Amino acid sequence: MTKGQPNRLSADNRLAGTAIDHQKALQFRLDGRVIEGFAGDTVLSAVLASGIDTAGRRHEAELGLSARHVPAIAPVSLARDPQQALAMERTPALADADYVTLPAASRSGGAADLLRRLRRPKRSLGLDLNRPDAMQRPWFTSSAEAGPENDLIVVGGGLAGLSAALAGAKAGLRVTLVEAWPRLGGHARLFGTLEDEEKPDESINRLVDAVTRSDAISVLTHAEVFAARPGAIRVHVIDTAGGAPAPRVVDLHAPRIVLATGTIERLPVFPGNRLPGIAGTLEAFEMAYLYGVWPGQSALFATVSSPAYRLAMLARDAGVAIPRIIDGRPLPQSRFIEFSKAYGITLAAGTIPASARPAAKGKGLTITPQLAFGGFDRVEDDIGVDRLIVSGGWQPDLTLWHMAGGPSRWNAVSAQLEAQPGPAGIALAGSAAGYVSNRACLASGGYAVDMLLGRKPRDVHEHIIDPIYETPDAPAPVSGDVAEPAAPAFLDAGRRYIVRPRTKPSRWPAWLPFGPKSAGWSLADTPQPLDIADIAAGVQLGAIPATSAGIVAQERVAMVAIAALSEALSKPAVSAPKSFVLPGYLAGRFGGQANLWMIAPTELRVLEVGALMHRNADATDPMAAVGVVAGMVDGAAIALIDRDFAQPEQTASVREQGRAIAVRLVSAYRSA
C-alpha cells in the first residue's frame, strides 16, 4: 500500500489485481481532486484505491460507494451535455483526464464551489444524496442510434453467455455479445468448482479465446444493457477505441436474444447496512481480484452463503485479519468452511448482524452480532473492524427479463424470484435461469440457443452436492426490528433508497382490545420503480404477498421504451398502442383506467414510469399533482390524468430526476 493508494494491496498475493499493471502508474482528476491509479483501473477502482469509499450523505447517514451505488461522471469540458455522461464503474482510468461527478448543474462554480470542496470529507465524494437526481443515469433518457442487425444477441459475458455466443456462431448466426464489465469472464472465479469440473480460469480462457477467434461474433464490452423487449435491446456503450472514452446509446435488434445476466447479491437487512466500509462478497472479491483494492486491515464476514468463506481465506492470505465469520445458518456445512477452519478462522453459526455503526473517531466500524435461530434471540458483544463483508444470498437478475414481459414467481424454498416461461424470441441462461454449477451454466448457453432455433435441446444436468455436505443458502438475514436505530436499514444496495420502516412504540397498552393498531407497511405505497432485490426483501418483510411478487416485479420494473421514438415524437399526434392495462399499483389513482391520456414530451426523451405531473414547472408538491406517467408502450407515453385538468393540447410538467420536463396532452387513450 502507498500513501496515494492506501486501499491497494501489494502485488505479491493472489488478490493483487489481475487487470492492472503495477508498473504503469497514472493520475487523473475527479471533482478537482487528484486520483492515483494504474493502467487497467476503472475510474471507480482507482477512486476506491485512493481511499474514497463514501458517496455522500443521505439525511443523517453516510452511504458507501460501490459499483451499484456510484454517480455518473463526464469530462469537465462536456459536463453540461447529458449525451457525454459516463459510468464511473465502466470507464477506464486514463492519465491526465479531468472529470466531474454529475449532475453538473449542482455545481455553483467560483468561490462557493471551492468552499464546498474544502469542506468535503477526505474519504467522500461529498454528494448530496437527498437530491432526486444525485445518482441519475443520464443515458436512460437519451435518444439512441440504430446499431447493426443481428441474428442473435447475448447479454452477459460469463460462462453461460460465452457458451451461448459460441453455440449461436456454430449454428451459422451473426452474434453480438454484450458485457457491462471491461472484460469477459463473469463471476465464476468466486464460486469455485466441484471435483470433476474444469477450473473457472481454464473455462474462461478457453471460451474467451474461442469467441475472440470467431468471425461470426462481435463483442461489446463496457456496455450496459438497460432496456429490453422481444427483438431489441438498448445499450449504453463506452467506446475506448479512440483513446478518450466516448459514450453512445445504441439500439440493437435481433429476432433471438439470450439473457445471461447472472445474479444479484442480496443485502442483509439491518440498521447501518450501507455505511462506508460495508461491501457484498462478490463486489469485494471482484475489486480485489481484478484491481487489488481492499480497504482496511481487518474484516468481519457475515453470510448465509458458503462462497464468502473462500474470499475470507484469500483475504487472510493477503494479510487481512479475519476475527470471525458469522453465518446465519444454524449448522452450516461446506468444503469452504472446512478449509477456513484449517486457516484458524473462527465461525459463529446461527448469527446475523444486528446493526452497524461508525466506530469512535470515525475509524472503522462497530458491528453488533445477533444470535438468532430456533426461536432464540440474543445480542452478542460488539466487534470492531475496518470492514464488514456481507452476503445475503443470491437473486437471479431478472430485470431485463421483466422489462421484456417475462413472468416470474416466488420460490419460498430458495427465497428467490424465479423465471417462468416467457415471450417468444427470448431465453435465459446461466445463473439468471437458476443454474448453480459451472457445468450447468456452460451447458445452458447451448440449451438456450437450441430453444430459440426451435431445435430439441439436450437436457442441462445440474449437479448439486448433497445438503449434508454443502448447506444450501439461507434467506437473506433480517435483524430484529429496532425502534430507533442509529442508521437506516435499506432493502437493497442500489440507487432506490427504500428503507425498512421504523417501529414506533404505541402509547396504548398492548392488552387493550380496542387500542389503535399501527398501519401495515406496503411497498405499493412507494411512488417509484422497484429493483428486483427490493421486491425480494419486501416479500421477506411481509410488505409484498409472496403470491403477488412476480406480478409486482413486472409492474414496478423501471421501463425504458425501445421503438422508433424519434418518429413518434416528430408526429403532430401520437398513435395509441394496441392495448394497455393500468398497473395494479396505480388502480384507483386519478380516476383509474377511464382517465388515461396519450402525452408527448416536447423534447426527445423517454419518460420515467411513475413520474408525477404538475400544472407547471414551479409546482413540486406531490399532493398537488394532476397526473402520473403510467406506462411507455411502442414508444408512446400514457399518463393517468385528473379529469378536471385533462383536455387536448393542454400542457403540463413532468418532474423526474429533479428536473421539470414539459409535455402536452394529445388525446384520451382508447385501445386500438
Side-chain angles (χ1 to χ4, degrees):
M1 299 183 183
T2 65
K3 183 177 180 181
Q5 301 183 59
N7 292 341
R8 185 85 73 177
L9 294 170
S10 61
D12 57 356
N13 63 79
R14 296 169 66 188
L15 294 179
T18 58
I20 59 175
D21 187 341
H22 287 267
Q23 304 303 313
K24 295 182 179 179
L26 55 82
Q27 289 185 344
F28 61 91
R29 299 178 74 86
L30 178 66
D31 289 339
R33 182 184 304 184
V34 175
I35 305 295
E36 296 187 13
F38 294 112
D41 265 321
T42 64
V43 172
L44 174 62
S45 66
V47 166
L48 291 171
S50 295
I52 301 170
D53 64 354
T54 306
R57 184 175 291 273
R58 182 172 176 84
H59 303 308
E60 299 303 317
E62 289 189 324
L63 300 188
L65 181 69
S66 70
R68 295 191 60 209
H69 184 243
V70 60
I73 59 173
V76 169
S77 59
L78 301 171
R80 301 286 176 174
D81 183 358
Q83 300 283 343
Q84 301 303 317
L86 299 163
M88 185 186 290
E89 72 276 18
R90 292 185 283 119
T91 301
L94 297 179
D96 302 321
D98 193 0
Y99 297 113
V100 293
T101 53
L102 299 180
S106 65
R107 310 286 187 260
S108 56
D113 195 37
L114 177 61
L115 182 61
R116 180 189 66 82
R117 290 181 179 181
L118 291 174
R119 289 178 174 175
R120 175 180 56 194
K122 184 178 180 181
R123 57 184 284 194
S124 176
L125 293 178
L127 301 177
D128 179 5
L129 300 178
N130 295 304
R131 290 176 55 105
D133 57 349
M135 287 287 168
Q136 68 172 329
R137 315 300 271 174
W139 50 90
F140 277 33
T141 54
S142 296
S143 57
E145 62 184 75
E149 296 293 319
N150 305 270
D151 298 318
L152 171 68
I153 295 171
V154 179
V155 181
L159 295 182
L162 291 166
S163 63
L166 290 168
K170 185 177 180 180
L173 305 178
R174 295 169 300 164
V175 182
T176 293
L177 175 62
V178 185
E179 168 58 41
W181 282 79
R183 57 195 51 76
L184 300 173
H187 308 303
R189 294 181 180 93
L190 171 65
F191 299 94
T193 59
L194 302 179
E195 290 183 359
D196 57 344
E197 285 185 333
E198 186 179 35
K199 293 181 179 179
D201 277 320
E202 295 174 357
S203 298
I204 291 169
N205 292 337
R206 173 175 57 81
L207 294 171
V208 170
D209 181 63
V211 165
T212 303
R213 288 187 286 103
S214 175
D215 294 333
I217 303 174
S218 300
V219 177
L220 287 177
T221 55
H222 308 82
E224 177 193 7
V225 179
F226 62 93
R229 65 166 174 79
I233 61 171
R234 180 164 290 181
V235 193
H236 180 249
V237 184
I238 298 177
D239 190 345
T240 61
R248 295 184 298 137
V249 177
V250 183
D251 282 350
L252 298 177
H253 296 264
R256 306 167 191 87
I257 298 174
V258 173
L259 299 178
T261 44
T263 63
I264 296 171
E265 190 168 18
R266 294 281 309 282
L267 178 68
V269 180
F270 60 90
N273 61 350
R274 290 186 58 177
L275 288 171
I278 298 179
T281 302
L282 180 58
E283 178 155 358
F285 173 78
E286 294 290 344
M287 279 294 163
Y289 181 80
L290 294 174
Y291 306 110
V293 174
W294 190 282
Q297 302 297 315
S298 62
L300 175 72
F301 282 71
T303 186
V304 292
S305 184
S306 296
Y309 290 84
R310 183 164 186 266
L311 176 59
M313 289 183 285
L314 291 170
R316 182 75 170 266
D317 283 341
V320 178
I322 312 295
R324 195 176 307 172
I325 298 177
I326 62 176
D327 194 321
R329 299 170 294 183
L331 296 170
Q333 299 292 326
S334 169
R335 63 197 189 281
F336 293 142
I337 294 176
E338 296 306 314
F339 296 153
S340 70
K341 289 179 180 178
Y343 270 66
I345 299 175
T346 301
L347 166 64
T351 306
I352 64 175
S355 67
R357 60 188 184 277
K361 300 181 181 180
K363 294 184 178 180
L365 296 165
T366 298
I367 313 301
T368 302
Q370 176 184 356
L371 192 62
F373 67 93
F376 183 77
D377 199 321
R378 184 182 70 199
V379 173
E380 303 283 273
D381 293 338
D382 290 343
I383 301 174
V385 286
D386 294 331
R387 201 176 190 205
L388 173 63
I389 308 299
V390 297
S391 178
W394 312 91
Q395 166 60 54
D397 189 354
L398 302 177
T399 304
L400 296 176
W401 176 254
H402 289 139
M403 282 188 183
S408 64
R409 70 178 180 185
W410 182 256
N411 183 324
V413 175
S414 63
Q416 295 176 336
L417 279 162
E418 58 182 23
Q420 299 298 291
I426 299 183
L428 291 165
S431 299
Y435 297 109
V436 176
S437 67
N438 289 346
R439 181 187 291 110
C441 287
L442 285 165
S444 70
Y447 180 93
V449 172
D450 285 341
M451 291 290 291
L452 293 175
L453 291 173
R455 304 190 303 203
K456 184 178 180 180
R458 289 180 294 178
D459 290 337
V460 177
H461 296 287
E462 181 75 276
H463 179 54
I464 303 296
I465 302 176
D466 192 295
I468 296 175
Y469 305 105
E470 189 74 41
T471 305
D473 294 348
V478 177
S479 70
D481 198 0
V482 180
E484 291 296 332
F490 292 90
L491 303 193
D492 186 33
R495 301 180 180 88
R496 299 294 178 195
Y497 303 136
I498 298 177
V499 175
R500 178 182 183 175
R502 297 178 177 181
T503 299
K504 296 182 179 180
S506 174
R507 59 189 181 90
W508 297 89
W511 50 264
L512 277 179
F514 303 108
K517 306 298 181 184
S518 59
W521 175 58
S522 172
L523 278 178
D525 297 331
T526 60
Q528 63 183 86
L530 298 175
D531 290 335
I532 190 169
D534 290 319
I535 295 169
V539 174
Q540 284 187 247
L541 290 166
I544 295 175
T547 55
S548 303
I551 298 172
V552 173
Q554 276 189 307
E555 289 182 346
R556 301 299 294 274
V557 66
M559 295 297 295
V560 177
I562 308 173
L565 183 60
S566 57
E567 290 184 19
L569 298 182
S570 64
K571 295 177 182 178
V574 179
S575 58
K578 293 181 179 180
S579 63
F580 177 77
V581 178
L582 188 68
Y585 69 94
L586 291 178
R589 309 283 178 90
F590 299 104
Q593 184 90 17
N595 291 338
L596 289 173
W597 277 70
M598 307 297 300
I599 63 173
T602 58
E603 57 185 90
L604 189 63
R605 66 180 295 118
V606 177
L607 299 176
E608 182 176 347
V609 177
L612 293 177
M613 299 175 60
H614 290 85
R615 294 178 182 273
N616 54 60
D618 296 328
T620 59
D621 183 1
M623 302 304 295
V626 296
V628 59
V629 179
M632 294 289 298
V633 182
D634 297 335
I638 303 174
L640 198 55
I641 307 292
D642 188 282
R643 183 176 302 171
D644 296 334
F645 179 78
Q647 57 181 323
E649 300 303 317
Q650 176 73 276
T651 59
S653 175
V654 172
R655 183 162 292 277
E656 57 178 45
Q657 298 182 341
R659 178 169 173 246
I661 311 298
V663 299
R664 64 183 177 88
L665 276 62
V666 178
S667 61
Y669 169 76
R670 299 288 183 270
S671 61

